[in-house]
Amino acid sequence: MASRETILARVRSALADVPSTETPDDVPVPRDYQHTRPGPDLVELFVDRLMDYRAVVHLDTPVAELARGRGRLMVPPGTPGEWLSGVDVARDDPPLTATELDHLDGVLTGCAVAIAETGTIILDGGPAQGRRALTLVPDHHLCVVHREQIVRTVPEALQRLDPTRPHTWISGPSATSDIELDRIEGVHGPRTLEVAIL
């Protein structure tokens, strides 16, 4: 009992100058962190980070040209027709099972926003993105990012996202180094991430 009281007394002493509140909502949270900062060209920085993650990057190459010859690709609703010229596509209507998705050669999607500093692509299930399973099951993901969708920092990206939508944050191909620190790709999602920047 003496040890318990000693520990609690120390905690009370350490918290003596902290104002007491009824609920966590009463505690002011500073929001003065940096939202953006100057730096290298956004596209150049984004490409550099993507390549660090071993993603394949294409600049200003027509999407249909990249997608043709890749086998049968899943395309979500809202995929622009010009991306699909001459492409063998599968549609998720009605929704395909995980087994059916696994038998496809890949998926072609757009994105909601991309973060240059972290090389992260964010999908929110919007047009040309589809449901989360579409980008997690097939072994190859070809993602289209428009230059105006690229922001420098995470806070800038968060300002563009609807917090009520489901978000998938992608930083390179799926990979893990859990076993003997050897990098293994394709464990939790696509083994290959290809990014077309338009």
Side-chain angles (χ1 to χ4, degrees), residues 98 102 107 132-141 168-179 182-193:
D102 191 41
V107 60
R132 183 173 281 167
L134 301 185
T135 58
L136 297 177
V137 178
D139 199 44
H140 181 269
H141 183 187
T168 302
W169 293 50
I170 302 166
S171 295
S174 167
T176 185
S177 297
D178 290 345
I179 301 171
D182 288 332
R183 182 179 167 98
I184 306 295
E185 295 179 350
V187 177
H188 309 294
R191 186 183 328 269
T192 304
L193 173 64

Side-chain angles (χ1 to χ4, degrees), residues 18-41:
V18 176
S20 88
T21 58
E22 293 299 316
T23 65
D25 294 337
D26 297 335
V27 177
V29 177
R31 301 287 185 194
D32 57 350
Y33 47 83
Q34 194 171 30
H35 286 268
T36 189
R37 60 185 146 267
D41 175 73

Side-chain angles (χ1 to χ4, degrees), residues 12 47 50 57 60 66 106 114 125 131 145 172 174 193:
R12 282 188 211 96
V47 169
L50 287 170
V57 182
D60 301 314
L66 295 172
R131 60 192 174 103
V145 178
S174 167
L193 173 64

Side-chain angles (χ1 to χ4, degrees), residues 134-153:
L134 301 185
T135 58
L136 297 177
V137 178
D139 199 44
H140 181 269
H141 183 187
L142 173 56
C143 186
V144 179
V145 178
H146 293 277
R147 281 177 165 79
E148 62 271 13
Q149 293 177 305
I150 304 172
V151 297
R152 187 171 304 280
T153 66

